[in-house]
Amino acid sequence: MDELIVDSRHCDEVVELLTDRLHVLPADHYRDADGVIGLTLVGPLDFAGYEPAARKQYADETDLTGMDLLFYDIGRRFADEHGFVPLLDRNTEDVLANPQHKGFGPAFAYDHVVPIPDTAAGEGVHIGVIDTAPTRHPDLPPSHVLTDTYFDPDETSKMVAGHGTFVAGLIRQKAPAAMIHMRAGLSSDTGRTSRWQLAKDIGAFVGDDIQILNLSLGFEDAEVPASTARALSRLSPAVFVVAAAGNDHTDRVWPGAFGSVLDVAFTGGETWSWINAAAPDDCPSAYLYGTFEDTPFTGYATWHGSSFASAFVTGSIAARMTTADMSAAEAYRSLTLDADSMVAALHA
């Protein structure tokens, strides 16, 4: 996907550079601006005629290619003219539910109802969730789960379509009285979304009254993703962000790897230095009704991965907030000191 994300304040100048001088952006290009996060998506880019000349121009300075070379080129020109480099990021479709290198682990059918406790744990706490759209399920009543859309599965649906339902069910098991605000940011067909869509979905919670944002998703990149960082920076400092650390990876998984985000692995899994906490991930939860990928489900499943450890922690924090009258950050610290919580701190 050859699209560029740029700081909206400098978009016009970047577009002029891309069209008139570097000739990588057609005159009939498209733009998608988001005023909340202050970013604009621009595309499509075409490197065919650009890259050979740029590689020759910068041969003595760098051996970068493709988008990396374009970023270098734009940065050099802006620095020479203005003394700064504008925010730039690439848009890719690599944001993944239950993030892991080797694809999704399967959900397994669970033949028993998983009761939602009849308690006030989580009362008054509002939790944001970006995931696949939830299905209609008795464990996810509209009185406690608000969503921008529902998913209605059919015989062609994949297991990943139940990811958001499973995550919301886990949160409700721990904090049944909390209010969950869901945004269907991940595709129910693939479990994926783009970095641009993720940034916009995070930005959609700006100004809302959520206290916790659960991101059971992620993507790998050796570089800090500037667009995700910008979106997170727009949230209130009081919003406690919990994210999945990834299951089978060799590099940092974003957005969990940001220092401002609680990065959660599953108990017994990888404990890289940037991971903050570990929690159980093998609890049964609400799921779809029907047969998917040749496996019949009756509304419940078991599943494995840091996505669900993240949801366990989110629900546990919400519950502790009300039972102990604490902020989200204070509740998390309290949980790590309580062996019965099963939430363990790993690294500072």
Side-chain angles (χ1 to χ4, degrees), residues 239-318:
V239 176
F240 196 82
V241 184
V242 182
N247 304 332
D248 182 13
H249 54 90
T250 56
D251 209 334
R252 295 172 186 262
V253 171
W254 308 95
F258 282 109
S260 61
V261 175
L262 184 69
D263 201 18
V264 183
F266 55 85
T267 303
E270 297 284 5
T271 57
W272 305 105
S273 61
W274 54 84
I275 297 175
N276 309 116
D281 70 321
D282 55 355
C283 306
S285 183
Y287 193 68
L288 309 177
Y289 293 88
T291 299
F292 312 104
E293 299 181 54
D294 300 322
T295 301
F297 293 89
T298 56
Y300 294 91
T302 59
W303 215 342
H304 176 68
S306 60
S307 281
F308 315 126
S310 174
F312 184 101
V313 172
T314 290
S316 298
I317 290 172

Side-chain angles (χ1 to χ4, degrees), residues 109-125:
Y110 190 74
D111 295 330
H112 306 283
V113 172
V114 182
I116 301 297
D118 184 15
T119 73
E123 187 172 13
V125 179

Side-chain angles (χ1 to χ4, degrees), residues 73-327:
D73 196 352
I74 295 172
R76 278 289 309 273
R77 293 170 187 265
F78 260 77
D80 289 344
E81 294 181 25
H82 306 293
F84 69 91
V85 177
L87 183 152
L88 301 170
D89 200 1
R90 71 194 71 217
N91 188 32
T92 54
E93 290 274 356
D94 59 351
V95 183
L96 184 66
N98 212 23
Q100 52 187 329
H101 249 355
K102 298 178 181 177
F104 298 102
F108 294 95
Y110 190 74
D111 295 330
H112 306 283
V113 172
V114 182
I116 301 297
D118 184 15
T119 73
E123 187 172 13
V125 179
H126 291 257
I127 302 168
V129 175
I130 299 172
D131 216 294
T132 62
T135 194
R136 292 171 176 84
H137 194 287
D139 288 359
L140 311 181
S143 59
H144 289 86
V145 179
L146 302 176
T147 180
D148 53 355
T149 186
Y150 282 100
F151 174 70
D152 296 315
D154 59 30
E155 66 277 1
T156 66
S157 300
K158 303 297 184 183
M159 286 186 181
V160 70
H163 193 269
T165 298
F166 198 95
V167 163
L170 283 173
I171 294 173
R172 290 216 66 228
Q173 287 177 42
K174 306 301 290 184
M179 182 65 73
I180 301 174
H181 304 255
M182 297 194 70
R183 294 194 60 80
L186 299 178
S187 166
S188 294
D189 294 328
T190 64
R192 292 180 177 271
T193 194
S194 67
R195 299 191 192 190
W196 175 241
Q197 188 61 50
L198 175 61
K200 293 205 299 181
D201 283 331
I202 293 172
F205 283 110
V206 173
D208 284 1
D209 59 355
I210 64 168
Q211 294 120 300
I212 308 171
L213 177 58
N214 186 86
L215 301 173
S216 291
L217 50 80
F219 57 94
E220 286 188 283
D221 197 327
E223 303 295 328
V224 176
S227 58
T228 313
R230 167 64 69 83
L232 289 170
S233 74
R234 293 295 195 257
L235 294 171
S236 165
V239 176
F240 196 82
V241 184
V242 182
N247 304 332
D248 182 13
H249 54 90
T250 56
D251 209 334
R252 295 172 186 262
V253 171
W254 308 95
F258 282 109
S260 61
V261 175
L262 184 69
D263 201 18
V264 183
F266 55 85
T267 303
E270 297 284 5
T271 57
W272 305 105
S273 61
W274 54 84
I275 297 175
N276 309 116
D281 70 321
D282 55 355
C283 306
S285 183
Y287 193 68
L288 309 177
Y289 293 88
T291 299
F292 312 104
E293 299 181 54
D294 300 322
T295 301
F297 293 89
T298 56
Y300 294 91
T302 59
W303 215 342
H304 176 68
S306 60
S307 281
F308 315 126
S310 174
F312 184 101
V313 172
T314 290
S316 298
I317 290 172
R320 185 63 60 97
M321 288 172 68
T322 55
T323 57
D325 190 22
M326 294 177 170
S327 70

